[in-house]
């Protein structure tokens, strides 16, 4: 199937699901669209019973969509930039220690906890997955997903200081998580040596390199924006920063997500204040808000459709259900330890650990990383378990984070 035909189908489904959700279901957009995508997937599976040829044709069309490349090398940079544009840098700087520690030490410690506990659990269930692949699973499931988190936080009415912590962490920890995932996947494939020096250099190249590239991109865009007063040109420049910056990051082997987040923060704060007219600010915000909504709808349609092509069986479904509390426990521990240490010098909102644990949603990035694992036994185990956790996270945690915040922040 041609790419234009696939795009037409996905956009049509996203539009229809968004309409049905808005008109009848009235759930938060990312949740409603994903649920409708899953229902559509189940209908496709049922279609294979009376019409096996038609069902197989649709399944093959879905398999042709490279979810990993579509998200990680396509949508992600746009969604991260749109999210970063609206984060107040002063608020983020105030929470820099919490955000920084959770996005680095928190992700690394969660990777180790999830990896160890999942290895023990799967061993007890007689599911054969080596420890290194359990760590790989820990690396892909530990980062909170900025797309899911930002989409849900818009509706949850979280207190401002807490919102900055959760959204700031989610914007940066996926970049760190990808670096950890790359290291462990290299070791699992036998192409990397377990060497502290090489791991440190890779981290510097990816994370610090992405940070520096983002500053260069943001400052360059700021200077260009300050020289023009035409919203069409300025919107085009912001698009160029996202597309060109992400491509450049991949070419020089630095973290594209971190680079784009930093550039978005720079433009959304310094650029917004000193390089844009009121008209440009309004037009730029409207453009990126619309693009953000469209891409979110497409992404969560894709997540829903993936249900029809994943290798599920009773044992894997049971393992996935048991892994949900394991992932939540690891999140609780990875958040609780640093927050309790930082409480010695910083004040925190009541019940912050509980809220950040439940508000740490997993989403498309985890699914995309799981799909990047080479075909084999490990992928057949990790991928459906990841999907089960992501679905639980988005639907159940996403729908209940608002009421939980109201209850715990009275």
């Amino acid at each position: 199937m041609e790419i234009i035909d696939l795009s037409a189908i996905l956009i049509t489904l996203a539009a229809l699901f968004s309409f049905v959700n808005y008109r009848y279901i009235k759930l938060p957009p990312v949740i409603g669209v994903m649920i409708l995508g899953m229902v559509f997937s189940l209908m496709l599976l049922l279609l294979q019973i009376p019409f096996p040829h038609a069902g197989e044709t649709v399944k093959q069309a879905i398999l042709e969509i490279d979810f990993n490349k579509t998200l990680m090398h396509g949508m992600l940079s746009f969604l991260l930039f749109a999210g970063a544009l609206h984060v107040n840098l002063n608020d983020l700087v105030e929470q820099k220690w919490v955000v920084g520690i959770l996005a680095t030490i928190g992700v690394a410690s969660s990777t180790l906890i999830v990896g160890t506990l999942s290895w023990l659990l799967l061993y007890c269930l007689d599911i054969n997955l080596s420890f290194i692949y359990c760590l790989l699973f820990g690396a892909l499931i530990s980062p909170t997903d900025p797309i899911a988190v930002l989409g849900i936080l818009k509706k949850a009415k979280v207190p401002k200081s807490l919102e900055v912590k959760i959204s700031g962490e989610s914007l940066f920890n996926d970049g760190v998580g990808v670096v950890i995932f790359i290291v462990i996947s290299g070791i699992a494939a036998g192409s990397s040596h377990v060497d502290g020096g090489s791991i440190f250099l890779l981290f510097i190249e990816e994370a610090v390199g992405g940070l520096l590239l983002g500053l260069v991109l943001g400052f360059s865009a700021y200077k260009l924006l300050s020289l023009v007063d035409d919203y069409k040109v300025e919107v085009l420049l912001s698009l160029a920063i996202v597309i060109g910056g992400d491509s450049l990051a991949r070419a020089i082997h630095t973290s594209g997500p971190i680079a784009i987040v930093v550039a978005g923060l720079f433009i959304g704060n310094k650029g917004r204040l000193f390089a844009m007219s009121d008209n440009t600010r309004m037009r730029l915000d409207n453009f990126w808000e619309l693009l953000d909504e469209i891409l979110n709808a497409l992404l969560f349609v894709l997540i829903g459709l993936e249900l029809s092509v994943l290798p599920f069986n009773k044992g894997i479904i049971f393992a996935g259900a048991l892994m949900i509390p394991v992932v939540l426990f690891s999140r609780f521990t990875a958040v609780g330890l640093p927050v309790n240490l930082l409480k010695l010098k910083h004040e925190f909102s009541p019940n912050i650990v509980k809220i950040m644990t439940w508000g740490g949603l997993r989403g498309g990035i985890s699914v995309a990383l799981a799909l990047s694992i080479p075909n084999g036994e490990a992928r057949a185990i990790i991928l459906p378990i990841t999907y089960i956790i992501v679905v639980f996270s988005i639907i159940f945690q996403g729908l209940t984070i608002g009421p939980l915040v109201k209850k715990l922040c009275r």
Side-chain angles (χ1 to χ4, degrees):
M1 187 178 291
E2 296 291 332
I3 185 66
I4 188 66
D5 296 324
L6 280 172
S7 300
I9 292 170
L10 288 174
I11 291 172
T12 301
L13 288 175
L16 289 174
F17 293 167
S18 297
F19 172 80
V20 171
N21 179 63
Y22 178 84
R23 188 72 177 81
Y24 302 107
I25 304 176
K26 303 185 186 301
L27 290 173
V30 295
I31 298 175
V33 168
M34 192 188 77
I35 289 175
L36 287 170
M38 293 174 65
V39 171
F40 186 76
S41 288
L42 291 173
M43 291 170 62
L44 291 178
L45 293 173
L46 292 174
L47 182 67
Q48 292 183 27
I49 299 173
F51 306 104
H53 179 71
E56 188 62 28
T57 300
V58 176
K59 184 176 179 180
Q60 285 302 316
I62 295 172
L63 285 170
E64 287 182 22
I65 303 170
D66 190 332
F67 187 96
N68 178 268
K69 188 175 290 185
T70 300
L71 175 58
M72 302 303 290
H73 297 162
M75 294 181 179
L76 182 59
S77 56
F78 291 95
L79 292 163
L80 289 176
F81 186 84
L85 272 180
H86 300 288
V87 175
N88 187 293
L89 191 56
N90 292 328
D91 293 338
L92 189 61
V93 169
E94 287 182 7
Q95 309 294 340
K96 60 183 181 294
W97 288 110
V98 180
V99 170
I101 290 174
L102 290 178
T104 53
I105 298 172
V107 174
S109 60
S110 176
T111 297
L112 182 60
I113 295 169
V114 171
T116 304
L117 293 180
S118 63
W119 181 71
L120 292 171
L121 176 63
L122 294 176
Y123 177 80
C124 292
L125 295 175
D126 201 26
I127 296 175
N128 184 29
L129 189 65
S130 66
F131 184 69
I132 191 64
Y133 275 105
C134 288
L135 284 178
L136 190 66
F137 168 69
L140 67 87
I141 207 67
S142 290
T144 56
D145 189 288
I147 303 158
V149 168
L150 294 173
I152 298 300
L153 284 183
K154 291 177 185 177
K155 305 289 184 181
K157 296 181 180 178
V158 176
K160 186 66 179 178
S161 63
L162 189 54
E163 180 182 349
V164 172
K165 291 183 182 76
I166 298 174
S167 60
E169 178 208 2
S170 69
L171 283 169
F172 284 101
N173 70 7
D174 63 299
V176 175
V178 170
V179 174
I180 296 173
F181 180 86
I182 291 170
V183 171
I184 297 175
S185 61
I187 296 170
S191 59
S192 296
H193 300 289
V194 185
D195 180 274
S198 61
I199 292 173
F200 178 74
L201 288 175
L202 179 61
F203 178 81
I204 294 296
E205 181 182 7
E206 290 277 342
V208 179
L211 176 66
L212 294 176
L213 177 61
L215 289 173
V216 171
L217 291 171
F219 181 76
S220 301
Y222 163 72
K223 296 302 290 184
L224 292 173
L225 290 169
S226 65
L227 296 175
V228 295
D229 187 17
D230 185 323
Y231 77 87
K232 295 182 289 295
V233 176
E234 292 175 87
V235 168
L236 192 57
L237 283 171
S238 69
L239 274 173
I241 288 296
V242 174
I243 299 173
D246 186 60
S247 296
L248 179 59
R250 290 200 304 273
I252 62 177
H253 304 292
T254 63
S255 173
I258 292 176
I260 295 303
V261 166
V262 173
L265 288 171
F266 200 106
I267 295 169
N269 288 268
K270 191 174 179 65
R272 184 189 297 275
L273 289 174
F274 303 111
M276 298 180 194
S277 64
D278 291 339
N279 183 49
T280 295
R281 277 193 289 271
M282 181 187 70
R283 301 276 189 168
L284 189 77
D285 286 346
N286 289 342
F287 172 81
W288 280 102
E289 182 178 347
L290 177 61
L291 191 61
D292 183 45
E293 293 291 339
I294 292 171
L295 291 179
N296 262 299
L298 286 171
L299 172 60
F300 285 92
V301 165
L302 280 171
I303 293 176
L305 292 178
E306 285 293 319
L307 176 64
S308 64
V309 296
L310 294 182
F312 287 104
N313 60 55
K314 291 181 181 179
I316 290 296
I317 293 173
F318 183 62
L322 292 180
M323 283 303 303
I324 291 170
V326 169
V327 171
L328 287 172
F329 171 77
S330 73
R331 171 72 177 169
F332 182 82
T333 305
V335 171
L337 290 177
V339 165
N340 282 312
L341 288 174
L342 289 169
K343 276 183 178 179
L344 298 174
K345 291 189 176 181
H346 302 271
E347 291 187 5
F348 290 93
S349 305
N351 299 302
I352 181 174
V353 176
K354 294 178 183 177
I355 294 172
M356 291 194 73
T357 297
W358 199 249
L361 307 183
R362 274 68 179 185
I365 291 173
S366 293
V367 176
L369 291 176
L371 283 164
S372 73
I373 299 172
N375 285 325
E377 185 180 358
R379 187 181 193 266
I381 295 170
I382 291 173
L383 182 54
I385 289 176
T386 300
Y387 191 87
I388 290 167
I389 293 169
V390 166
V391 168
F392 174 87
S393 178
I394 293 172
I395 295 177
F396 291 98
Q397 291 177 239
L399 285 175
T400 55
I401 184 63
L404 180 69
V405 168
K406 289 180 182 177
K407 180 179 179 180
L408 296 181
C409 294
R410 285 176 180 173

